[in-house]
Amino acid sequence: MPPSPVPPRLLRRRPLFAATGTLALVLAVLAALAPLFEDGDARRSTRAPDAGEPWGAGLPWPREGQAAVHVDGIGGLGSHGPQAPVPIASVTKVMTAYVILREHPLRAGESGPRITVDQQAADESVSGVESTVPLERGQRLSQRQLLELTLIPSGNNAARLLARWDAGSEEAFVAKMNRAADALGMRRTTYTGASGLEPTTKSTAADQLKLARQAMRDEVFRSVVAQPDTSVPGAPRTLPNTNALLGTPGVVGIKTGSSTPAGGALMWAVQVPDRHGRQHLALGVVLHQRADTSPQEGLSAVFDSSRALVEALRHRMSTTDPVEAADTVSRTR
């Protein structure tokens, strides 16, 4: 008696079973190998540049947003990501401080003139929608103290008070900020406020790096942004620096920024030794990390991205001859 024919329905399903099993096996193998590929990516992200490549090649640039890095004695390591203007949040305050110190220079150890807290700055102290510091009407704080309150805990009301003190109104001060940006060649930057609260204040990492190089030439500015905390006279507590990167060895500044449209933004500075033990100031700007999420998520992302760049720079500089590196940078521009 001949064998019963296999129903067509079962014949059709057998290849499906086989294909499904094969696919599952392939997926399992790929999952097992995934960590190896990830490790390879991590190794490539910190590799030394090949001959003819820019010295900044192989750095662990952030996967999103934009960044730019410069090392004194070597040169610019280039920028990464689209250099289109994006909101920069409180990184804006670096330009505020730069203009104030240019208009009212301070020497190391000087406090500068006393500035009276007006009603607007006092009223803004209790804002629940922005970063402010506790100020009372009639308080008299020095220029240095207000710079600290602007740059360390990122007090928006302190920044706007400095702007009104200098120029009579925030609008007049913003005009000074934009003129200063033009003078520095920051062609893709527009300031619309002294604090960075406005999402219409926009810039690029490359432009902000130009500002960082100028601002860090001022001794008072350098000393302020390296401070771990500050305080308001008469207030019961200290105000910590918003820059969590300061806990990383060699980091000496500079300024954070965060908002929903800006995401996380950070202008940083770190001292890194070359292979001869000589220190070099490395400056970097990372913008638009986890934009349109939350300020907290943006800050966490920008600290992670910046820390990776700082660690890679420290590792690379430890084996670098600065003369050779500077020659490489100049030839690959």
Side-chain angles (χ1 to χ4, degrees):
M1 180 175 179
S4 301
V6 178
R9 177 174 55 84
L10 293 180
L11 285 173
R12 285 195 301 270
R13 293 181 62 183
R14 280 176 185 167
L16 178 62
F17 290 143
T20 302
T22 303
L23 178 60
L25 178 60
V26 170
L27 290 175
V29 171
L30 289 175
L33 291 175
L36 297 179
F37 292 122
E38 290 172 1
D39 289 346
D41 288 342
R43 286 192 293 271
R44 284 193 294 274
S45 71
T46 56
R47 66 174 175 79
D50 297 328
E53 279 190 307
W55 197 82
L59 289 177
W61 297 105
R63 295 179 182 273
E64 60 181 312
Q66 53 185 273
V69 176
H70 180 277
V71 181
D72 282 357
I74 293 178
L77 306 190
S79 58
H80 180 79
Q83 296 297 305
V86 295
I88 61 172
S90 286
V91 171
T92 299
K93 295 182 176 80
V94 174
M95 179 58 87
T96 300
Y98 174 75
V99 172
I100 289 292
L101 285 169
R102 192 182 63 172
E103 299 283 321
H104 313 275
L106 295 177
R107 296 189 183 91
E110 286 185 339
S111 297
R114 292 278 174 177
I115 300 167
T116 302
V117 175
D118 60 17
Q119 188 64 55
Q120 181 177 341
D123 289 344
E124 291 169 350
S125 295
V126 295
S127 171
V129 296
E130 59 176 318
S131 172
T132 61
V133 291
L135 299 176
E136 296 180 4
R137 181 181 178 180
Q139 259 182 316
R140 289 179 58 78
L141 302 177
S142 71
Q143 177 187 340
R144 166 78 188 220
Q145 287 172 318
L146 283 173
L147 283 170
E148 291 182 7
L149 293 172
T150 295
L151 293 168
I152 296 173
S154 202
N156 287 355
N157 54 338
R160 292 191 286 261
L161 176 58
L162 280 171
R164 292 192 298 275
W165 167 71
D166 172 80
S169 70
E170 186 177 1
E171 292 75 17
F173 185 81
V174 168
K176 288 187 175 185
M177 295 171 73
N178 284 309
R179 287 196 294 271
D182 287 342
L184 292 175
M186 300 166 66
R187 304 300 181 212
R188 297 185 177 183
T189 297
T190 302
Y191 292 101
T192 59
S195 69
L197 178 66
E198 303 81 5
T200 47
T201 288
K202 295 183 178 183
S203 187
T204 66
D207 269 9
Q208 289 297 306
L209 188 60
K210 294 176 183 178
L211 173 60
R213 295 181 63 192
Q214 291 297 320
M216 287 296 282
R217 293 179 179 177
D218 188 285
E219 185 176 3
V220 170
F221 180 88
R222 289 199 307 271
S223 67
V224 170
V225 296
Q227 286 183 216
D229 55 51
T230 188
S231 62
V232 179
R237 63 186 179 89
T238 59
L239 302 170
N241 199 315
T242 57
N243 185 6
L245 208 66
L246 280 178
T248 304
V251 172
V252 292
I254 300 177
K255 186 72 191 76
T256 60
S258 63
S259 68
T260 296
L266 183 64
M267 180 188 288
W268 48 261
V270 58
Q271 294 283 358
V272 288
D274 61 29
R275 75 183 188 191
H276 306 298
R278 292 190 289 267
Q279 295 286 339
H280 298 258
L281 181 66
L283 300 170
V285 179
V286 180
L287 301 178
H288 223 47
Q289 301 297 289
R290 302 294 296 155
D292 300 318
T293 59
S294 69
Q296 295 77 18
E297 189 171 344
L299 272 180
S300 177
V302 81
F303 286 140
D304 288 344
S305 299
S306 298
R307 193 173 288 110
L309 282 169
V310 165
E311 294 298 339
L313 278 174
R314 179 180 292 110
H315 174 73
R316 184 172 296 181
M317 284 296 295
S318 68
T319 61
T320 291
D321 180 281
V323 175
E324 295 174 0
D327 181 62
T328 301
V329 168
S330 65
R331 283 188 289 103
T332 53
R333 274 179 187 158

